[in-house]
Amino acid sequence: MDFINDTYDVDDNLNFENELDNSDKKSESGEEVKRSMQLIELEATKLSSFLFDPESSEDEDKEGDVVSTPNIPYGQDYEPITSVSLKVIANKLGLIRLCWPPKSLIEIKNLQNYPHSYRINNSKEKMLLLYAENFRRQYQMSFPKKKPLLLAAYNECDTQKMVCTTICPTKLRYPEFYTWQGCGKFISEHIIYKPLEKPTSLPSKLISGEMVLLGQFGHCFEMSTVLVSYLLAAGYDAYVVSGYATREYCNNDQSYTEYPEFASEKQKNNIEEETYVTETKKVSKYTIKEPFDFRSKFLLMMEKRESDKREMEIQDQLKLEQLRIEELERPPFDTLYGWRIHSWVLIIPGKRNVEEIIFLEPSTGIGSSPTNPQYLGIESIWNNTNYWINLQNCTNGCKDLSFDIQNVSCWKHLLPGEPWYWREIKTGSYVEPKDVILQEKHLDMPFSWVNPLLIPHEKYENRYPTGQKIIKYKKVQVELFAPYLLKDGLVSRITVYEDYEYQNPLVVYENFNNRQDNLEKLTKYVVKNQRTEEYKPGREDALKKHSTIVNNGKKSMEFYHTIRYDGLSKVIMDNASMSEKFKEREDRLYLREVIFEGTQPLPEYRLSYSSLDHRPVKMQTVI
């Protein structure tokens, strides 16, 4: 698919773009209308398969109508042709404008606050768009059944720009942007995700990352562009991906997925259990032999058979219950499955000690492998150096794809050049300067037209668009708050529910920062009516953990014993007794217990230190 030696004819496209700009003025003339219709039909017949809209075809199939329209002459059955309708068709076909008429005085006045590079294309960008349109036509002829590519899109100034030039690598001073985990988490929290207007069509606009950060909202392609800009500056080999995903990923619906922290804890516990089971006990030759068993082997066998039968029944019931829960938690059927367009970030190994392929979701900031079933296919990838299209079959998703983009049988690139870090330096061979000049005499990617993607310190500290954000997972609701937003220092609240409608809470986890009393975490068990407070080091009393059961008045306090002079490590107190535990004391005291005699349990509202002073006690000290 080498497009350098191919001839290029732009007359049809130039005429089509002129019709696109002047169609409103010429709609009264019948000849001009017929001419524009012929041009549209010429392009539509070439890419008729791209115009298939599953949403509209479903309704037509239900009514029994024929999807394909007959070739009838122009008349009342057609809608009036306007510049808006022509732009919609051009967007569906993926056409690139090859004429750049001067803007009117009104448009110049409205766009005077934007930089010069946002409003016009320089000569190199125009040449790149010519290359891209040639590449698009060859791709269309070679793969007529595939959907169009996102090669160029309109920005906020209504100027068509190449998608590769929208990426602007920017290095920030914040430590969080040095890792891909930190970049993904910040972008997912800082920008509000907006689904595509039409889930089966490419976006008509791709605004600059500067405006995305300023407004703090954007669709998947805009968020991926911003994320790749930071990852490239951090030294990763990152690419924007245009492909297909499930409805849940396209709409950022996480109500069917588990909370990531809970899922990682379960995996860690499962690994620990497996390692504990696989450990074999070392049998010493000095161990005492077990006594001889005089029980009947037949009776033991029958008992074992009965116990195995009961265990099998229990396991079957558990499996049935698990299948019922999985069926209940399964998302409903999606009529647009496989048609929904989505964008995410691809990180290829080779830089920054990355050893495996990483799919980074910009809406959640979670990384996964290509075996993730939520990603259904890839059409193209790009960064600030080149544009590649995927030639591999995506029937089984992305798990079987080869991401060696230097392999031309799997990936085709737009520009003939290659990045400098791909080149091999051959020592001992002399190359004439003329040959070097001829080798480098090709079109390379222009510099980005976007201003550096800087984030002010105030916005970085505020983090979330409105200072707070709510994310709903399966039976879990996460509330995130910016530091110093709330008076009590609350930064996150995680509520675990019993039902899927988020009505009956079970446990509430609250995390705090920048508190004077060093409170770090508060856990509330709603059913048990119990609360546990955890503190960071630095308190005068060296308190570490404080647990209270409100029903029976039982309390327990743990301390940082290495900080305290008396070595106190734990205090347990209820209505009838109190015990103190010590560690690493010189007098070897490790337990002190106080028992209250001859008194009835006090009511909850009367339980206080002043009331306990009047109770007879019996002290017991253990050394």
Side-chain angles (χ1 to χ4, degrees), residues 502-521:
Y502 309 99
Q503 298 295 329
N504 303 320
L506 295 177
V507 188
V508 180
Y509 302 95
E510 295 181 352
N511 297 317
F512 300 86
N513 273 342
N514 309 312
R515 282 181 61 105
Q516 189 174 2
D517 58 355
N518 290 353
L519 178 62
E520 183 178 20
K521 187 176 181 180

Side-chain angles (χ1 to χ4, degrees), residues 148-211:
L149 300 173
L150 182 62
L151 288 164
Y154 291 93
N155 63 358
E156 55 267 32
C157 297
D158 203 20
T159 303
Q160 199 171 33
K161 296 284 187 177
M162 180 69 182
V163 292
C164 297
T165 59
T166 311
I167 299 174
C168 180
T170 306
K171 185 177 291 186
L172 300 179
R173 64 182 183 272
Y174 308 116
E176 190 173 6
F177 288 86
Y178 187 68
T179 60
W180 65 266
Q181 295 92 339
C183 290
K185 183 179 180 182
F186 181 85
I187 294 300
S188 64
E189 295 176 351
H190 189 69
I191 300 175
I192 299 176
Y193 179 81
K194 178 181 67 175
L196 296 174
E197 295 180 359
K198 294 184 178 180
T200 60
S201 300
L202 293 170
S204 58
K205 279 195 174 184
L206 184 63
I207 64 175
S208 63
E210 184 184 17
M211 297 302 297

